[in-house]
Amino acid sequence: MHASPVEVSLQAALDALSDPIRRRIVRELAGVPDWSRPCGTFSHLPVAKSTLSHHFAVLRGVGLLEQRDEGPRRLNRLRRPEFDDRFPGLLPLILTEPEDRP
Amino acid sequence: MHASPVEVSLQAALDALSDPIRRRIVRELAGVPDWSRPCGTFSHLPVAKSTLSHHFAVLRGVGLLEQRDEGPRRLNRLRRPEFDDRFPGLLPLILTEPEDRP
DNA sequence: TGTAGTGTTCCATCTCGATCGAACAGTTTA
DNA sequence: TAAACTGTTCGATCGAGATGGAACACTACA
């Protein structure tokens, strides 16, 4: 887990980003400072807690996300520069995507 | 069918490009002049003829591909500038991807 | 201690899309 | 006309991944 974007294939990156829930996670993380949002603050997303945990694991697996333990919670950071370097242009497409409801 | 890239969602574009066979089609078309390759010249890809036809339909559906009848065959053109305009940076990622075998 | 909160793991279900073969439609040529 | 070629459509199968609930591990705090 916690792969570096450098070692990630385009296939894996596209698989990870083709899920709308994961793109919402990425967008929300892009809008806040690093290490400011634990996983629990994403409970408004319309999926179960275990499913959310799965999505975070996928994002970690492609190097889009970094997580750090702080007490009982797990803080998140978007590895934006690293990912931009590996897949230039891809993240901006996700971040400018209009939100879909709910 | 034959949607314009302008009216295509990022979701649809990512769905279309997350398939490795479709990315190979896109790459091969990018390497030849417009209208120079009929669908039949993709029979080296490791899928059945009907599956290939399905992939072409998906690529048409997201505006990546334009097809034109010429007698019994169907010539293809990559709608590169239109797609680049709608999803800047995405097509270059696909075109620079290393080929996977077979 | 124990209780609450956070996140993961396990397991089962289910949906969607890739796949293929066969039949079909259209075009060209014999 | 028939035969060959090109591509699509149809119906069915199959597998990968999203999903949710329950149990679990860990931390913090009463």
Side-chain angles (χ1 to χ4, degrees):
Chain A
M1 83 163 53
H2 269 143
S4 163
V6 180
E7 46 190 335
V8 167
S9 68
L10 177 63
Q11 179 70 65
L14 293 177
D15 285 343
L17 290 173
S18 60
D19 185 281
I21 299 284
R22 287 196 283 266
R23 289 200 304 278
R24 287 186 63 176
I25 294 175
V26 168
R27 275 194 299 272
E28 298 201 13
L29 280 177
V32 300
D34 288 354
W35 313 120
S36 64
R37 283 197 67 176
C39 299
T41 62
F42 290 86
S43 53
H44 59 289
L45 297 180
V47 288
K49 188 176 53 161
S50 55
T51 303
L52 206 50
S53 182
H54 163 68
H55 285 314
F56 278 106
V58 172
L59 291 175
R60 282 197 310 269
V62 296
L64 248 171
L65 214 67
E66 198 176 356
Q67 291 185 328
R68 195 181 65 184
D69 285 353
E70 186 174 83
R73 52 194 101 212
R74 189 159 283 201
L75 301 181
N76 295 284
R77 171 198 163 233
L78 199 61
R79 306 182 66 172
R80 196 163 172 173
E82 300 95 313
F83 200 83
D84 280 338
D85 190 61
R86 173 68 181 89
F87 301 108
L90 187 49
L91 214 36
L93 286 177
I94 274 72
L95 300 183
T96 60
E97 182 186 17
E99 285 290 342
D100 59 324
R101 288 295 138 201
Chain B
M1 81 163 55
H2 269 141
S4 163
V6 181
E7 47 190 333
V8 168
S9 68
L10 177 63
Q11 179 70 65
L14 292 177
D15 285 342
L17 290 173
S18 61
D19 185 280
I21 299 284
R22 289 197 281 266
R23 290 201 303 278
R24 287 186 62 176
I25 294 175
V26 168
R27 274 194 299 272
E28 298 201 14
L29 280 177
V32 299
D34 288 354
W35 312 121
S36 65
R37 283 198 67 176
C39 298
T41 63
F42 290 86
S43 53
H44 59 289
L45 297 180
V47 288
K49 187 176 54 160
S50 55
T51 304
L52 207 50
S53 183
H54 164 67
H55 286 313
F56 278 108
V58 173
L59 291 175
R60 284 197 309 268
V62 295
L64 248 172
L65 213 68
E66 197 175 355
Q67 291 186 329
R68 195 181 66 182
D69 285 353
E70 186 175 83
R73 52 195 101 211
R74 187 161 283 200
L75 301 182
N76 295 284
R77 171 198 163 233
L78 199 61
R79 305 182 66 172
R80 197 164 172 175
E82 301 96 312
F83 200 83
D84 279 338
D85 190 62
R86 172 68 182 87
F87 301 108
L90 187 50
L91 214 36
L93 286 176
I94 274 74
L95 299 183
T96 60
E97 182 187 17
E99 285 290 341
D100 59 324
R101 289 293 138 202

